């Protein structure tokens, strides 16, 4: 790294931490696999860093000082050991749903700096922001981050809007009963709030078998295999998508008749 290069302070700390982790791993390999004694352990590491401090876009950046640079600041960093209970406690605090969406999806409504302010306040995902609004803490978040509450609400409304990504048939198997109704799987996001969503195809209601935030399974009638599907997680929120699955179900009927005829032939042969 040259003296003209600057980098975020957390990147420097993470790089040092990564190398210390590698050293710890090497000692663990020595003890577990080679059965060699550990005659010492490093508890704390103290490091003095001479660098210039820059502040841009709500980010602290450091630039290493040259050998004869007299105006550089001195960072005194102490790395200490962390115990397993401390690691587990923090891992739980920062754990996130793998299907949860990050604040990057709000980039059309909030700038990089504004999203970083939310992360400083502990709001790292869209669901966390929604949770705080439901708890009535949106004004507190707005005050801490210096963001207008209406902007936060508008960004959250856009991120919480339902979206249909796919409408797929649920294929039948040979073990399924012939009386099993046709099922369609609607995949997307924000498809259900606190109760089952309302689903219609070309203006006619459709039975909902089960639903989650990411998927809704419906049982349409035979004439509802095509048209405009609308799904409403609430009366005020509706989204729609046109689809046509009639060719698939015609093929399903052909396969079903073929299996029935094969079963009859086997029965007659016996």
């Amino acid at each position: 790294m040259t003296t003209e290069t600057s980098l975020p302070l957390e990147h420097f700390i993470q790089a040092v931490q990564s190398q210390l982790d590698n050293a710890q791993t090497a000692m663990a390999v020595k003890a577990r696999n080679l059965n060699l004694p550990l005659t010492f352990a490093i508890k704390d590491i103290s490091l003095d860093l001479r660098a210039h401090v820059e502040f841009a876009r709500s980010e602290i950046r450091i630039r290493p000082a040259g050998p004869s640079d007299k105006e550089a600041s001195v960072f005194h960093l102490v790395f200490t050991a962390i115990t397993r209970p401390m690691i587990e406690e923090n891992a739980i605090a920062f754990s996130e749903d793998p299907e949860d969406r990050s604040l990057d999806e709000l980039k059309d409504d909030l700038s990089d700096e504004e999203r970083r302010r939310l992360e400083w306040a502990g709001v790292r995902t869209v669901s966390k922001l929604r949770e705080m609004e439901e708890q009535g803490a949106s004004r507190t978040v707005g005050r801490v981050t210096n963001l207008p509450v209406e902007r936060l609400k508008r960004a959250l409304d856009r991120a919480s809007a339902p979206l249909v990504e796919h409408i797929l048939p649920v294929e039948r198997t040979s073990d399924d009963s012939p009386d099993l109704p046709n099922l369609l799987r609607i995949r997307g996001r924000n498809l259900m709030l606190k109760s089952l969503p309302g689903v219609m195809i070309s203006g006619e209601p459709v039975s909902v078998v089960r639903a989650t935030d990411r998927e809704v399974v419906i049982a349409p009638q035979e004439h509802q295999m095509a048209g405009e599907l609308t799904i409403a997680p609430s009366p005020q929120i509706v989204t729609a998508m046109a689809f046509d699955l009639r060719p698939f179900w015609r093929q399903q009927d052909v396969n079903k008749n073929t299996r029935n005829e094969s079963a009859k032939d086997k029965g007659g042969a016996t």
Side-chain angles (χ1 to χ4, degrees), residues 109 173 246:
D109 299 282
T173 66
R246 288 173 296 184

Side-chain angles (χ1 to χ4, degrees), residues 42-215:
I42 298 175
K43 180 181 179 182
D44 298 330
I45 293 180
S46 179
L47 176 66
D48 288 338
L49 173 68
R50 296 181 65 252
H52 294 277
V53 182
E54 301 172 356
F55 190 79
R57 298 182 179 178
S58 301
E59 185 178 69
I60 298 177
R61 302 183 70 89
I62 57 174
R63 178 166 50 87
S68 59
D69 198 337
K70 305 296 184 181
E71 298 180 357
S73 301
V74 177
F75 287 84
H76 183 65
L77 305 175
V78 177
F79 294 85
T80 187
I82 184 172
T83 63
R84 178 177 293 274
M86 295 168 64
I87 294 175
E88 294 174 348
E89 179 181 353
N90 284 278
I92 294 174
F94 284 98
S95 63
E96 297 174 356
D97 187 335
E99 294 189 355
D100 204 352
R101 293 173 291 150
S102 71
L103 293 181
D104 290 340
E105 296 198 13
L106 304 181
K107 61 184 179 181
D108 292 336
D109 299 282
L110 300 175
S111 65
D112 292 344
E113 182 175 352
E114 290 169 335
R115 297 197 304 274
R116 189 175 296 115
R117 292 182 198 170
L118 287 172
E119 291 180 355
W120 288 351
V123 181
R124 299 174 179 270
T125 63
V126 174
S127 64
K128 187 64 176 180
L129 184 59
R130 184 187 300 117
E131 176 186 340
M132 298 195 74
E133 186 192 39
E134 292 174 352
Q135 294 175 351
S138 56
R139 292 191 178 277
T140 302
V141 174
R143 184 171 62 254
V144 170
T145 59
N146 199 27
L147 293 175
V149 176
E150 290 303 319
R151 286 197 61 197
L152 289 174
K153 187 177 185 305
R154 184 167 60 250
L156 185 58
D157 288 343
R158 285 168 59 93
S160 301
L163 174 66
V164 175
E165 297 174 344
H166 306 288
I167 302 175
L168 304 170
V170 178
E171 297 190 35
R172 295 177 178 176
T173 66
S174 57
D175 297 331
D176 290 336
S177 169
D179 298 331
L180 183 70
N182 297 328
L183 297 178
L184 298 182
R185 179 181 289 112
I186 307 168
R187 290 180 175 172
R189 66 187 187 208
N190 302 322
L191 300 179
M192 186 181 79
L193 295 178
K194 296 181 179 180
S195 59
L196 291 177
V199 181
M200 303 184 76
I201 296 179
S202 299
E204 295 184 43
V206 185
S207 299
V208 176
V209 178
R210 60 180 180 272
T212 66
D213 180 69
R214 304 285 299 182
E215 180 180 280

